[in-house]
Structures are given as structure tokens and as C-alpha cells.
Amino acid sequence: TVAMRMGQILQRMGYSRSGHLVVATRDDLVGQYVGHTAPKTKEVIKKAMGGVLLIDEAYYLYNASNDRDYGQESIEILLNVMEENREDIVIVLAGYKDRMDKFFSFIPGMSSRVGNHIEFPNYEPEELLSIAKVMCRDLEYEMSVDAEPIFFEYIKKRMTMPYFSNARTVRNAVDRARMRAAIRLFSKAFDQSSDGMVS
């Protein structure tokens, strides 16, 4: 969302022709065999020209444990584009700070070509509860008043655990709650004592 808004702002300010956003991951940029990576990477870059290319979890482009990995080829193409076409494309490399720092340490020249490093702090539990309520509303559900303090405590506990990922964790929790509600309703409808009507 931030990258999309940034593209729109850059377009209005005259720094970007179209301001459109292209989101890519390693799978979109790196090929499976020799000669496959360059065309994939160039095709994504071509789509993003005049706008913003967001590479999510960019650290997955580089695999230090595999010297035959084709991610390095994609990185070299990106470095070239960042130098030669910097007036016509904005490239955003997104990911968790610790992994991004490690990624930059492996790739000479990458950090110097990235003009701005922005670290977004984690949301507060109250903000994540609000996000969960908006997600529920958008899915045409309503979080009950009784469920709010329970979800709030879940968020606080989950924030202390490994692999916490802010709104993504909240989205996953909302999706699990929806699935459990669907299973409950399905089971209730097919219960032998039920008339098949569920409200």
C-alpha cells in the first residue's frame, strides 16, 4: 500500500510518468535454468517502467549457500537498471530489516544505489485490533464486542512470538476465524437434530 501511494505521489510531483505499481517476488524475477532469469527480470522491469517496481522480500533474490543460484543474475540486471534508468523507474526493495541488512552486506553496490532506507515500526496492539475489525468489515463480518478483548490479548501474546508479521499475522488470524466459523455452521447444518437451516 505504501509503495502504491508513493507511486501516485511521485507521479503528481512529476518524478514518475505513470505512477503505476508492479509487485514482484523472487519467483517473478529468477529463472529455473540457465538463460531463463534475464528474460524474466527484464519483462518485469519493462512492465514497471514509468512507475514503481516493488520487490517483496528482496533478500530471497540472493542465496549465499548456493553458488549456482540464478538470483545473482537478476540482481546484476536490477543494479544496471537502477544506474542507467533511475529517471524512469523507482525500485523499492522490501523486507524485514535484519534480513535486508544482511542482503545489502552480500551485494556490493546495492546499498549505495538505494537512496532511502525506511524502517516501519511495528503496529501497536490497539492499531492491529482496528486493522482486524476493518478486515472483518471488508469481508462482511462483524467482530463482536465480546471477541474484541480476546483478540486483543491474542495479538499481544502473538507479538512476543517468532514470525510475527504485523498486519499479515492479523489477516491470517482473521482467515482462521472465518474458516472455523464456516466449519461450525456447516457442522450445525448437517447435524441430525438440525432442520438444515442455519442463521
Side-chain angles (χ1 to χ4, degrees):
T1 305
V2 173
M4 185 172 66
R5 298 282 184 261
M6 189 173 76
Q8 293 166 349
I9 291 167
L10 290 172
Q11 181 195 18
R12 288 189 192 118
M13 292 174 68
Y15 290 108
S16 172
R17 279 187 288 129
S18 66
H20 70 286
L21 172 67
V22 174
V23 179
T25 63
R26 176 187 166 88
D27 290 344
D28 301 307
L29 298 166
V30 180
Q32 307 273 316
Y33 49 86
V34 175
H36 192 215
T37 295
K40 282 184 83 168
T41 301
K42 288 176 182 176
E43 182 61 30
V44 171
I45 290 168
K46 184 178 172 184
K47 288 179 188 172
M49 277 298 177
V52 177
L53 171 59
L54 169 69
I55 303 173
D56 196 19
E57 297 183 320
Y59 34 78
Y60 286 128
L61 287 176
Y62 183 77
N63 185 350
S65 64
N66 183 356
D67 59 352
R68 292 183 174 198
D69 184 70
Y70 302 119
Q72 182 66 36
E73 183 180 359
S74 182
I75 291 167
E76 288 168 10
I77 293 167
L78 288 166
L79 284 170
N80 186 51
V81 168
M82 290 166 83
E83 188 64 35
E84 302 295 322
N85 301 90
R86 64 180 173 266
E87 302 297 325
D88 201 29
I89 188 169
V90 175
I91 298 179
V92 177
L93 305 171
Y96 296 108
K97 184 184 183 322
D98 57 337
R99 294 183 190 177
M100 289 303 294
D101 289 344
K102 197 171 187 180
F103 172 70
F104 286 132
S105 75
F106 286 134
I107 312 297
M110 179 66 85
S111 188
S112 64
R113 284 184 178 85
V114 176
N116 298 293
H117 296 253
I118 303 169
E119 184 179 353
F120 294 98
N122 287 337
Y123 288 106
E124 295 296 324
E126 295 82 5
E127 294 171 313
L128 290 169
L129 177 61
S130 296
I131 289 169
K133 289 163 72 174
V134 169
M135 288 178 178
C136 288
R137 186 195 67 214
D138 290 349
L139 294 165
E140 298 183 12
Y141 284 81
E142 185 178 334
M143 187 180 290
S144 72
V145 176
D146 294 338
E148 287 184 26
I150 296 166
F151 197 85
F152 184 75
E153 288 305 315
Y154 165 78
I155 290 169
K156 289 200 305 189
K157 184 173 183 179
R158 188 64 186 83
M159 289 176 87
T160 65
M161 298 168 71
Y163 308 112
F164 171 74
S165 57
N166 280 302
R168 185 180 302 163
T169 296
V170 169
R171 184 182 64 228
N172 291 343
V174 168
D175 286 344
R176 281 193 307 276
R178 287 176 55 219
M179 181 60 74
R180 289 179 181 150
I183 291 168
R184 275 194 308 274
L185 290 172
F186 185 79
S187 298
K188 188 175 177 182
F190 284 93
D191 188 277
Q192 289 184 347
S193 61
S194 170
D195 60 2
M197 300 296 289
V198 178
S199 60

